[in-house]
Amino acid sequence: MTKHLQRDMESLEREIITQSSLVEEMISKASRALYEVHVDLANEVIEKERAINESEVKIEEECLKILALHQPVAVDLRETATVLKINNDLERIADLAVNIAERTIGLSHYPNFRIPASLEPMTKVTVSMLRDAIDAFIDFDSEKARSVCKRDDIVDGYNREIINEIYQLMQTDPNLIKPALHFFSSARHIERIADHTTNIAEDVIYLTEGEIVRHRHKETFST
């Protein structure tokens, strides 16, 4: 690796780590806003969207510049490609956090709606998945990345619990159908955040081992 490439790669790593920290904060705040039906907190999440989008474009431009100017090979090429993919997933996660915040504002008009208890552990697992996926990227740790992929099933389980509870609620009280649908969408967004986080973990495995495991993690990580 040339000195200029090393400098640019280190700068790129710092930028993607900063971006991931901001996105993790957005998820945490959006989840808390939903659990507490906290409108001010939801608005804080929405206000951060523009900064995330601008950072996403900047990181993509840096990746393309590295590819054009340095023409990296082997692990440097895989790392640049991985950052491009992680950057895209982080931007989508941030979008989902904003969607959760917007649903929370809609939910605030229905104070009688009771938030299902499964939400809190579901969001805790999801946030820990993102944190560990980024740590795995920083440390080139494929085993930690695999542990993240395995936890996606836990989030799916909580999501099924929430779907069942919401379905029963709508059957017993038709007046709560609208807030229930707001909440159902929010829970679905959290489940999608876990899916994008799994994508990041799978990209880390590609980075460290050169193996593409997307679309087959169920068979790869079940053992």
Side-chain angles (χ1 to χ4, degrees):
M1 183 190 295
T2 67
K3 193 173 294 185
H4 293 299
L5 175 57
Q6 182 176 3
R7 179 200 62 202
D8 289 347
M9 292 297 293
E10 288 174 352
S11 174
L12 187 62
E13 289 170 6
R14 286 194 297 272
E15 288 178 9
I16 199 70
I17 290 168
T18 299
Q19 179 83 325
S20 67
S21 296
L22 293 173
V23 171
E24 181 186 330
E25 181 184 0
M26 286 180 71
I27 303 171
S28 297
K29 284 188 174 182
S31 302
R32 186 178 142 214
L34 177 61
Y35 195 73
E36 299 176 2
V37 195
H38 194 316
V39 173
D40 289 343
L41 200 57
N43 282 322
E44 285 183 30
V45 174
I46 294 169
E47 289 168 3
K48 290 184 180 294
E49 183 179 22
R50 182 174 178 180
I52 293 294
N53 289 341
E54 290 174 353
S55 179
E56 188 254 347
V57 171
K58 181 183 176 184
I59 291 171
E60 182 175 337
E61 289 174 344
E62 288 299 312
C63 287
L64 296 176
K65 185 180 79 172
I66 287 173
L67 292 171
L69 294 181
H70 302 294
Q71 299 181 346
V73 297
V75 69
D76 297 326
L77 176 59
R78 292 206 303 272
E79 183 171 3
T80 306
T82 297
V83 170
L84 263 173
K85 292 180 179 181
I86 291 175
N87 187 43
N88 182 57
D89 277 310
L90 287 174
E91 192 273 334
R92 291 185 180 183
I93 290 171
D95 284 345
L96 290 166
V98 170
N99 291 342
I100 292 168
E102 290 170 345
R103 289 291 183 175
T104 298
I105 294 171
L107 198 59
S108 68
H109 301 297
Y110 302 91
N112 293 329
F113 180 79
R114 183 175 60 85
I115 301 295
S118 296
L119 173 69
E120 189 171 17
M122 181 183 182
T123 55
K124 283 183 178 179
V125 174
T126 302
V127 171
S128 73
M129 285 174 66
L130 179 60
R131 186 180 303 120
D132 287 349
I134 297 302
D135 285 347
F137 167 73
I138 295 169
D139 299 332
F140 275 54
D141 188 340
S142 60
E143 288 307 309
K144 181 172 282 189
R146 281 186 163 82
S147 76
V148 170
C149 295
K150 290 177 181 178
R151 272 178 275 168
D152 189 40
D153 289 337
I154 298 174
V155 175
D156 289 343
Y158 283 127
N159 191 45
R160 285 191 293 271
E161 288 180 17
I162 287 172
I163 290 171
N164 291 335
E165 186 171 343
I166 292 298
Y167 180 71
Q168 291 173 12
L169 181 65
M170 289 191 295
Q171 283 188 317
T172 56
D173 190 347
N175 292 323
L176 293 178
I177 288 177
K178 194 166 183 179
L181 290 175
H182 277 301
F183 184 83
F184 172 79
S185 294
S186 297
R188 174 61 178 156
H189 292 327
I190 294 169
E191 191 266 339
R192 288 295 297 140
I193 287 171
D195 287 344
H196 284 296
T197 301
T198 299
N199 289 346
I200 293 172
E202 290 170 346
D203 288 334
V204 172
I205 295 170
Y206 165 72
L207 169 63
T208 56
E209 300 180 359
E211 179 187 8
I212 298 175
V213 297
R214 283 198 179 194
H215 310 304
R216 57 190 182 92
H217 79 274
K218 295 291 183 184
E219 61 190 64
T220 305
F221 307 123
S222 60
T223 57

